[in-house]
mmCIF file of all heavy atoms in Angstrom:
data_model
loop_
_atom_site.group_PDB
_atom_site.id
_atom_site.type_symbol
_atom_site.label_atom_id
_atom_site.label_comp_id
_atom_site.label_asym_id
_atom_site.label_seq_id
_atom_site.Cartn_x
_atom_site.Cartn_y
_atom_site.Cartn_z
ATOM 1 N N PHE P 15 60.007 -32.536 103.182
ATOM 2 C CA PHE P 15 60.341 -31.595 102.069
ATOM 3 C C PHE P 15 61.798 -31.743 101.666
ATOM 4 O O PHE P 15 62.112 -31.930 100.528
ATOM 5 C CB PHE P 15 59.984 -30.192 102.400
ATOM 6 C CG PHE P 15 60.217 -29.188 101.244
ATOM 7 C CD1 PHE P 15 59.156 -28.787 100.526
ATOM 8 C CD2 PHE P 15 61.394 -28.639 100.993
ATOM 9 C CE1 PHE P 15 59.314 -27.862 99.451
ATOM 10 C CE2 PHE P 15 61.655 -27.779 99.925
ATOM 11 C CZ PHE P 15 60.546 -27.400 99.175
ATOM 12 N N SER P 42 83.310 -23.138 78.140
ATOM 13 C CA SER P 42 84.485 -22.854 78.790
ATOM 14 C C SER P 42 85.754 -23.285 78.084
ATOM 15 O O SER P 42 86.731 -22.594 77.982
ATOM 16 C CB SER P 42 84.491 -23.372 80.219
ATOM 17 O OG SER P 42 83.623 -22.619 81.021
ATOM 18 N N PRO P 44 86.297 -23.771 74.802
ATOM 19 C CA PRO P 44 86.741 -22.923 73.639
ATOM 20 C C PRO P 44 87.253 -21.610 74.144
ATOM 21 O O PRO P 44 88.207 -21.032 73.566
ATOM 22 C CB PRO P 44 85.419 -22.703 72.912
ATOM 23 C CG PRO P 44 84.585 -23.866 73.217
ATOM 24 C CD PRO P 44 84.860 -24.213 74.603
ATOM 25 N N ALA P 77 69.003 -25.107 77.426
ATOM 26 C CA ALA P 77 67.583 -25.309 77.128
ATOM 27 C C ALA P 77 67.215 -26.765 76.915
ATOM 28 O O ALA P 77 66.212 -27.218 77.418
ATOM 29 C CB ALA P 77 67.157 -24.465 75.845
ATOM 30 N N VAL P 82 64.818 -31.780 79.478
ATOM 31 C CA VAL P 82 65.044 -33.078 79.972
ATOM 32 C C VAL P 82 64.688 -33.154 81.459
ATOM 33 O O VAL P 82 63.962 -34.077 81.852
ATOM 34 C CB VAL P 82 66.499 -33.573 79.701
ATOM 35 C CG1 VAL P 82 66.728 -34.857 80.385
ATOM 36 C CG2 VAL P 82 66.735 -33.620 78.238
ATOM 37 N N ASN P 89 58.011 -37.085 85.540
ATOM 38 C CA ASN P 89 57.397 -38.153 84.710
ATOM 39 C C ASN P 89 56.595 -39.124 85.638
ATOM 40 O O ASN P 89 55.781 -39.889 85.106
ATOM 41 C CB ASN P 89 58.480 -38.967 83.960
ATOM 42 C CG ASN P 89 59.433 -39.732 84.861
ATOM 43 O OD1 ASN P 89 59.406 -39.565 86.060
ATOM 44 N ND2 ASN P 89 60.175 -40.506 84.214
ATOM 45 N N LEU P 105 53.642 -35.826 102.511
ATOM 46 C CA LEU P 105 53.921 -34.548 101.996
ATOM 47 C C LEU P 105 52.640 -33.944 101.505
ATOM 48 O O LEU P 105 51.817 -34.692 100.813
ATOM 49 C CB LEU P 105 54.949 -34.654 100.845
ATOM 50 C CG LEU P 105 56.449 -34.847 101.138
ATOM 51 C CD1 LEU P 105 57.204 -35.086 99.967
ATOM 52 C CD2 LEU P 105 56.947 -33.514 101.808
ATOM 53 N N LYS P 108 51.527 -29.196 97.984
ATOM 54 C CA LYS P 108 52.421 -27.990 97.824
ATOM 55 C C LYS P 108 53.871 -28.427 98.041
ATOM 56 O O LYS P 108 54.754 -28.114 97.164
ATOM 57 C CB LYS P 108 52.021 -26.906 98.789
ATOM 58 C CG LYS P 108 52.955 -25.676 98.691
ATOM 59 C CD LYS P 108 52.504 -24.637 99.679
ATOM 60 C CE LYS P 108 53.393 -23.398 99.617
ATOM 61 N NZ LYS P 108 52.934 -22.369 100.669
ATOM 62 N N SER P 113 59.157 -29.319 96.291
ATOM 63 C CA SER P 113 60.403 -30.011 96.651
ATOM 64 C C SER P 113 60.989 -30.567 95.289
ATOM 65 O O SER P 113 62.261 -30.472 95.125
ATOM 66 C CB SER P 113 60.174 -31.119 97.629
ATOM 67 O OG SER P 113 59.329 -32.112 97.099
ATOM 68 N N ALA P 136 88.979 -17.049 81.926
ATOM 69 C CA ALA P 136 89.997 -17.135 80.825
ATOM 70 C C ALA P 136 89.797 -15.970 79.831
ATOM 71 O O ALA P 136 90.729 -15.415 79.337
ATOM 72 C CB ALA P 136 89.819 -18.493 80.146
ATOM 73 N N MET P 156 71.284 -18.412 82.815
ATOM 74 C CA MET P 156 70.547 -18.908 83.947
ATOM 75 C C MET P 156 69.069 -18.692 83.811
ATOM 76 O O MET P 156 68.274 -19.536 84.112
ATOM 77 C CB MET P 156 71.052 -18.165 85.204
ATOM 78 C CG MET P 156 72.435 -18.427 85.686
ATOM 79 S SD MET P 156 72.649 -19.981 86.597
ATOM 80 C CE MET P 156 71.785 -19.469 88.143
ATOM 81 N N ALA P 159 67.566 -21.318 81.613
ATOM 82 C CA ALA P 159 67.377 -22.567 82.368
ATOM 83 C C ALA P 159 66.028 -22.499 83.191
ATOM 84 O O ALA P 159 65.206 -23.390 83.142
ATOM 85 C CB ALA P 159 68.553 -22.838 83.251
ATOM 86 N N THR P 162 62.802 -22.145 80.685
ATOM 87 C CA THR P 162 62.561 -23.317 79.923
ATOM 88 C C THR P 162 62.096 -24.547 80.822
ATOM 89 O O THR P 162 61.174 -25.243 80.594
ATOM 90 C CB THR P 162 63.776 -23.750 79.120
ATOM 91 O OG1 THR P 162 64.200 -22.645 78.332
ATOM 92 C CG2 THR P 162 63.425 -24.905 78.226
ATOM 93 N N PHE P 165 58.506 -23.889 82.201
ATOM 94 C CA PHE P 165 57.472 -24.092 81.138
ATOM 95 C C PHE P 165 57.344 -25.631 80.918
ATOM 96 O O PHE P 165 56.238 -26.054 80.721
ATOM 97 C CB PHE P 165 57.969 -23.399 79.847
ATOM 98 C CG PHE P 165 56.959 -23.473 78.777
ATOM 99 C CD1 PHE P 165 55.726 -22.902 78.810
ATOM 100 C CD2 PHE P 165 57.340 -24.178 77.593
ATOM 101 C CE1 PHE P 165 54.807 -22.927 77.794
ATOM 102 C CE2 PHE P 165 56.407 -24.212 76.540
ATOM 103 C CZ PHE P 165 55.174 -23.645 76.663
ATOM 104 N N SER P 170 54.397 -30.751 81.439
ATOM 105 C CA SER P 170 54.316 -32.095 81.973
ATOM 106 C C SER P 170 53.037 -32.332 82.793
ATOM 107 O O SER P 170 52.466 -33.412 82.764
ATOM 108 C CB SER P 170 55.570 -32.416 82.849
ATOM 109 O OG SER P 170 56.739 -32.385 82.053
ATOM 110 N N ALA P 179 54.839 -34.420 76.663
ATOM 111 C CA ALA P 179 55.302 -33.168 77.306
ATOM 112 C C ALA P 179 56.456 -32.580 76.453
ATOM 113 O O ALA P 179 56.592 -31.398 76.326
ATOM 114 C CB ALA P 179 55.784 -33.499 78.743
ATOM 115 N N LEU P 186 55.142 -26.217 70.827
ATOM 116 C CA LEU P 186 54.535 -24.953 71.146
ATOM 117 C C LEU P 186 55.620 -23.788 71.115
ATOM 118 O O LEU P 186 55.303 -22.709 70.706
ATOM 119 C CB LEU P 186 53.883 -24.983 72.511
ATOM 120 C CG LEU P 186 53.085 -23.740 72.925
ATOM 121 C CD1 LEU P 186 51.954 -23.494 71.952
ATOM 122 C CD2 LEU P 186 52.498 -23.872 74.335
ATOM 123 N N VAL P 196 55.589 -16.756 59.218
ATOM 124 C CA VAL P 196 54.858 -16.989 58.049
ATOM 125 C C VAL P 196 53.885 -15.846 57.729
ATOM 126 O O VAL P 196 53.688 -15.329 56.585
ATOM 127 C CB VAL P 196 54.083 -18.298 58.122
ATOM 128 C CG1 VAL P 196 53.046 -18.442 57.006
ATOM 129 C CG2 VAL P 196 55.015 -19.508 58.176
ATOM 130 N N LEU P 204 52.066 -9.400 50.007
ATOM 131 C CA LEU P 204 50.899 -8.644 49.622
ATOM 132 C C LEU P 204 51.138 -7.094 49.679
ATOM 133 O O LEU P 204 50.374 -6.400 48.955
ATOM 134 C CB LEU P 204 49.768 -8.917 50.574
ATOM 135 C CG LEU P 204 49.281 -10.427 50.559
ATOM 136 C CD1 LEU P 204 48.229 -10.663 51.621
ATOM 137 C CD2 LEU P 204 48.822 -10.790 49.212
ATOM 138 N N TYR P 219 57.764 -12.693 68.822
ATOM 139 C CA TYR P 219 58.140 -14.100 68.454
ATOM 140 C C TYR P 219 58.203 -14.917 69.703
ATOM 141 O O TYR P 219 58.014 -16.155 69.623
ATOM 142 C CB TYR P 219 59.452 -14.093 67.729
ATOM 143 C CG TYR P 219 59.398 -13.584 66.340
ATOM 144 C CD1 TYR P 219 59.724 -12.199 66.043
ATOM 145 C CD2 TYR P 219 59.024 -14.388 65.218
ATOM 146 C CE1 TYR P 219 59.658 -11.691 64.799
ATOM 147 C CE2 TYR P 219 59.037 -13.827 63.876
ATOM 148 C CZ TYR P 219 59.293 -12.493 63.761
ATOM 149 O OH TYR P 219 59.280 -11.972 62.460
ATOM 150 N N LEU P 246 66.574 -5.598 75.466
ATOM 151 C CA LEU P 246 66.955 -6.743 76.303
ATOM 152 C C LEU P 246 66.262 -6.689 77.656
ATOM 153 O O LEU P 246 65.839 -7.737 78.131
ATOM 154 C CB LEU P 246 68.447 -6.826 76.416
ATOM 155 C CG LEU P 246 68.999 -7.967 77.291
ATOM 156 C CD1 LEU P 246 68.536 -9.335 76.578
ATOM 157 C CD2 LEU P 246 70.508 -7.931 77.351
ATOM 158 N N TYR P 252 59.870 -9.837 80.690
ATOM 159 C CA TYR P 252 58.787 -10.651 80.212
ATOM 160 C C TYR P 252 59.000 -12.090 80.609
ATOM 161 O O TYR P 252 58.055 -12.755 81.096
ATOM 162 C CB TYR P 252 58.565 -10.521 78.719
ATOM 163 C CG TYR P 252 57.641 -11.580 78.141
ATOM 164 C CD1 TYR P 252 56.227 -11.361 78.384
ATOM 165 C CD2 TYR P 252 58.020 -12.696 77.547
ATOM 166 C CE1 TYR P 252 55.372 -12.371 77.893
ATOM 167 C CE2 TYR P 252 57.143 -13.634 77.058
ATOM 168 C CZ TYR P 252 55.750 -13.469 77.292
ATOM 169 O OH TYR P 252 54.904 -14.457 76.862
ATOM 170 N N PHE P 262 53.049 -21.089 88.620
ATOM 171 C CA PHE P 262 51.686 -21.049 89.298
ATOM 172 C C PHE P 262 50.750 -21.963 88.530
ATOM 173 O O PHE P 262 50.007 -22.736 89.138
ATOM 174 C CB PHE P 262 51.162 -19.593 89.209
ATOM 175 C CG PHE P 262 49.710 -19.530 89.729
ATOM 176 C CD1 PHE P 262 49.481 -19.549 91.121
ATOM 177 C CD2 PHE P 262 48.674 -19.383 88.881
ATOM 178 C CE1 PHE P 262 48.200 -19.483 91.598
ATOM 179 C CE2 PHE P 262 47.398 -19.295 89.322
ATOM 180 C CZ PHE P 262 47.150 -19.348 90.761
ATOM 181 N N VAL P 276 42.912 -37.101 96.478
ATOM 182 C CA VAL P 276 43.798 -37.539 97.601
ATOM 183 C C VAL P 276 43.770 -36.492 98.705
ATOM 184 O O VAL P 276 44.009 -35.327 98.487
ATOM 185 C CB VAL P 276 45.270 -37.741 97.073
ATOM 186 C CG1 VAL P 276 46.111 -38.173 98.263
ATOM 187 C CG2 VAL P 276 45.296 -38.747 95.976
#
Side-chain angles (χ1 to χ4, degrees):
F15 182 98
S42 288
V82 171
N89 67 349
L105 283 168
K108 179 180 178 182
S113 63
M156 293 279 289
T162 306
F165 183 65
S170 294
L186 187 59
V196 170
L204 297 174
Y219 289 94
L246 180 59
Y252 171 75
F262 176 78
V276 179

